[in-house]
Amino acid sequence: MLGDLNNKLTELSRSLVGLHVKDVLNKNTKDNNNSKLRSLSDEEKEQLRKIFNDLQDQVNSFVKQTKQETEDTEAADNQAGRTRTTLRDLMQKKKNQEK
């Protein structure tokens, strides 16, 4: 799993670097007509869409995994009879004991 994620990140990095290099080369080889924006080719647009979709899938997968791990941890804590105590709860408990 970790190797697969590493491969995806490497591929993503190469794609982004490739786009950046193309952009720099295009910017420096074309006549500068004082336009700050340039239109992307269909290939570049498709690459950006692919990168966006890959990143979105990875983020959704990570969030889902993290949420599942959190739920599992909370379920294990509840089964063990442990409850999470916040600093506010501890301060209130100490305050009540002093009275």
Side-chain angles (χ1 to χ4, degrees), residues 31-48:
D31 292 334
N32 289 335
N33 57 1
N34 293 331
S35 65
K36 298 208 178 217
L37 299 176
R38 69 172 185 85
S39 60
L40 296 173
S41 69
D42 290 338
E43 180 183 313
E44 290 172 323
K45 288 177 186 178
E46 187 58 37
Q47 280 184 319
L48 285 174

Side-chain angles (χ1 to χ4, degrees), residues 2-16:
L2 187 59
D4 187 38
L5 180 61
N6 192 21
N7 290 340
K8 286 182 181 180
L9 289 175
T10 302
E11 181 183 331
L12 180 66
S13 296
R14 286 183 183 154
S15 297
L16 287 173

Side-chain angles (χ1 to χ4, degrees), residues 64-97:
K64 184 178 178 181
Q65 180 183 2
T66 304
K67 184 177 179 182
Q68 184 63 39
E69 289 174 358
T70 302
E71 290 172 355
D72 291 346
T73 303
E74 288 175 354
D77 285 348
N78 288 338
Q79 286 179 350
R82 291 183 252 163
T83 58
R84 294 182 187 240
T85 306
T86 63
L87 181 59
R88 179 180 291 156
D89 293 338
L90 291 173
M91 294 299 291
Q92 187 66 34
K93 185 176 180 181
K94 184 177 180 181
K95 194 175 190 181
N96 289 339
Q97 287 176 350

Side-chain angles (χ1 to χ4, degrees), residues 18-28 38 40 44:
L19 284 173
H20 182 67
V21 169
K22 275 185 183 178
D23 185 43
V24 169
L25 291 175
N26 285 336
K27 190 186 304 181
N28 291 326
R38 69 172 185 85
L40 296 173
E44 290 172 323

